[in-house]
Amino acid sequence: MDASWSLILDLAISLGTAVILGVLCEKVGISSVVGYLIAGVAVGPGALGLVKSGEAVRAIAEIGVALLLFTIGLEFSFQRLRRMGGRVLLGATLAVCATVTVGMIVAIAAGLSWQASLGLGMVVSLSSTAMVLRILKDRNDLDAKHGRTALAVLLVQDVAVVPLVLGMTFLSSGDGNILADLGLTLTRALALVSGLFAFAVFVVPRLLDARLVARNRELPILLAITSCVGATFVAHVIGISPALGAFAAGLMLAETRFADQMRADVLPLRTLFLTVFFVSVGLLADVGWIADNILLVLGVSMLVIIAKSAITFFMVRPFVPGIIECLATGIAVSQIGEFSFVLATIGVEGGLFSDSLFQLIVSTSLITFLATPFLTAHALPIARFVAIKLVPTKKLAQAERSSRNVSLADHVIVIGFGEAGQVAAEVVAHAELDVLVIDISPALVQMARTRGYHVLLGDATQSEILEHAGLHAADSVILAIPDPNASRIIISQCKVMAPDVPIVARVRYHVTCAELTVLGADILIDEELRVGQHLGESMLEHRAMRQPLTDELHILR
């Protein structure tokens, strides 16, 4: 059979098996990702051998990694990274650096060269953005404290991929001139990124405009896929990781004005990319090798999970309140991730890693991947159990009370710290009442903290956030957000949890007043009626004064 058709057959077999096992896993309450991994192991050369060709396995693995990393890059946002806050990002950066260092020290102690040890530390330092975010989203845990901190760690790791890939390429480049090799690698990467940046800034806006996209929704997705494939090929030609080229293409397109449209259009394909990637991980696993070295694989996998959990905990703890939440963050990101396969592949192809070490990396990744759906979904209960066993009761209770603000009583909760929330909080504070501000924006929370208010970073539609804010002991709630859908949810949650706590709510549209009243809001500030009333009164005031209107802007305060 022709090689191209053989690859298509291998893909069909792999994806078909993934569908069957994914459905079976979902039916028994297990994440479908586990089914995809098992499917790859089952049909691969190490088990049933339905996909026999080593070249086909490598090709599927490269395709899966490149396509997946393109979608991750397309969904990456530097603005979201900045909103995480400097302290959390510093903790996440320290976690990555510490994991590389500890991994290198352990590998040197095991007898590896410093180059291979450093490369192994790089491989272990990265977690699975795709898998962890999917599980957190499915469980609505992204707005929980450990979910937000885990997201910060994953975003920092995504940024770190570029220097890590360049570093791995440099370590695997042989024994030539060090400075020359490093300079050549950096020059090639800079040339690729510069070309992609120029394409995104100068070419994309001229190729697409709003009216053209409105007429033909296919164009953005075609442009996105073409950019991904083109960047992958160019990266391969110039001698750097093809997956890095795909990731860089996604990053550049994420900053264009058509990024939201591209994300929406590529989203259905992300399922395909995700499935191909996880199947490819299973295809690379050698069941016979794992069976012969089962104790080593399980021991290293356990060591990786425990070490990464502990390192992440200690690095983010000084910057994130709450022992349990920090420990849950470490547990959620304790696996070896998809970017690690890019690094490991560069290492084995460059002779930095032996075949047996590469197989150990693949096997360990497979085990940690299989454990991730359970560990990430139950990160908080596991963290709570571990904390109770290891941390003195008094210290743990004090830390949790401090992080959750449960010591407040008779305070006013201000939800939303925009312009309206800021004024409301100031008025309440002047009445010598304690104010606790809840907002999802780290920048606004930091502003509230500098003004002396108690703060809680989180989504107030989540009952856990309201509980942490001490809703039961609150004097009242001021709802200062303009979003009517979020207001409905928050009012309902508050009345279920603390029906006697009065709610004063901002209402953007008059038509929603009746519904919010039924849900339990005690006082409604109707913006449309208030604005209309002030408009009429201002006109009558000017008319009574018989003063001509001027170009000067009069702002009613």
Side-chain angles (χ1 to χ4, degrees), residues 23-48:
V23 170
L24 291 177
C25 285
E26 287 289 346
K27 284 184 177 295
V28 297
I30 303 174
S31 173
S32 58
V33 172
V34 175
Y36 305 154
L37 290 165
I38 297 175
V41 174
V43 303
L48 297 178

Side-chain angles (χ1 to χ4, degrees), residues 420 479-485 487 505-513 516 524-531:
L479 191 55
I481 60 175
D483 184 0
N485 292 322
S487 296
R506 169 187 178 183
V507 182
R508 172 65 64 88
Y509 306 110
H510 176 71
V511 294
T512 62
C513 284
L516 296 185
L524 296 177
I525 308 301
D526 188 329
E527 291 187 18
E528 290 186 324
L529 290 184
R530 290 295 179 96
V531 170

Side-chain angles (χ1 to χ4, degrees), residues 186-444:
L186 290 174
T187 301
R188 289 171 175 174
L190 183 61
L192 176 62
V193 172
S194 300
L196 290 171
F197 178 79
F199 176 75
V201 172
F202 300 109
V203 178
V204 172
R206 288 169 173 78
L207 280 177
L208 299 178
D209 58 57
R211 277 187 280 180
L212 186 63
V213 171
R215 289 200 306 268
N216 192 334
R217 290 282 302 276
E218 298 173 358
L219 294 177
I221 190 172
L222 288 175
L223 177 64
I225 298 301
T226 303
S227 302
C228 170
V229 175
T232 302
F233 179 76
V234 171
H236 169 73
V237 169
I238 66 176
I240 62 177
S241 169
L244 179 58
F247 179 63
L251 281 179
M252 294 301 107
L253 291 178
E255 299 302 316
T256 66
R257 60 175 177 166
F258 300 104
D260 291 333
Q261 185 65 55
M262 289 180 182
R263 292 186 193 104
D265 290 334
V266 170
L267 187 60
L269 292 177
R270 180 179 170 83
T271 301
L272 172 63
F273 299 164
L274 194 70
T275 305
V276 171
F277 166 71
F278 286 117
V279 169
S280 71
V281 174
L283 287 172
L284 292 174
D286 186 336
V287 177
W289 191 93
I290 295 175
D292 293 338
N293 301 272
I294 186 63
L295 294 179
L296 175 64
V297 172
L298 292 178
V300 172
S301 300
M302 186 66 67
L303 177 63
V304 167
I305 291 173
I306 294 174
K308 291 191 70 173
S309 299
I311 292 170
T312 303
F313 168 79
F314 285 115
M315 292 300 105
V316 303
R317 179 70 183 95
F319 310 102
V320 178
I323 292 176
I324 293 176
E325 284 78 6
C326 291
L327 188 54
T329 299
I331 293 171
V333 299
S334 61
Q335 68 290 132
I336 296 178
E338 53 272 355
F339 282 113
S340 300
F341 286 92
V342 178
L343 300 178
T345 302
I346 295 172
V348 73
E349 290 178 351
L352 186 65
F353 297 152
S354 64
D355 289 337
S356 60
L357 181 57
F358 177 73
Q359 192 55 236
L360 177 61
I361 293 172
V362 172
S363 303
T364 302
S365 302
L366 179 63
I367 299 299
T368 59
F369 270 144
L370 290 172
T372 295
F374 173 79
L375 291 176
T376 302
H378 300 88
L380 274 176
I382 295 173
R384 189 173 293 111
F385 174 81
V386 173
I388 291 172
K389 294 293 183 182
L390 299 181
V391 181
T393 303
K394 183 179 293 187
K395 181 179 179 181
L396 180 61
Q398 183 180 5
E400 294 309 299
R401 279 198 300 269
S402 174
S403 69
R404 297 183 181 185
N405 297 300
V406 296
S407 60
L408 285 175
D410 296 326
H411 57 292
V412 177
I413 300 174
V414 177
I415 301 175
F417 202 63
E419 295 293 338
Q422 292 170 31
V423 174
E426 185 178 356
V427 171
V428 172
H430 282 166
E432 298 184 353
L433 293 172
D434 284 328
V435 175
L436 184 145
V437 173
I438 303 177
D439 202 291
I440 201 169
S441 167
L444 292 178

Side-chain angles (χ1 to χ4, degrees), residues 435-493:
V435 175
L436 184 145
V437 173
I438 303 177
D439 202 291
I440 201 169
S441 167
L444 292 178
V445 166
Q446 181 60 34
M447 181 192 298
R449 182 180 286 111
T450 59
R451 295 185 183 182
Y453 304 133
H454 302 281
V455 297
L456 189 59
L457 177 65
D459 183 355
T461 61
Q462 303 294 320
S463 59
E464 184 182 19
I465 297 297
L466 294 173
E467 181 181 349
H468 289 179
L471 176 63
H472 294 89
D475 175 88
S476 54
V477 174
I478 295 178
L479 191 55
I481 60 175
D483 184 0
N485 292 322
S487 296
R488 294 185 187 99
I489 298 172
I490 294 171
I491 292 171
S492 298
Q493 293 274 25

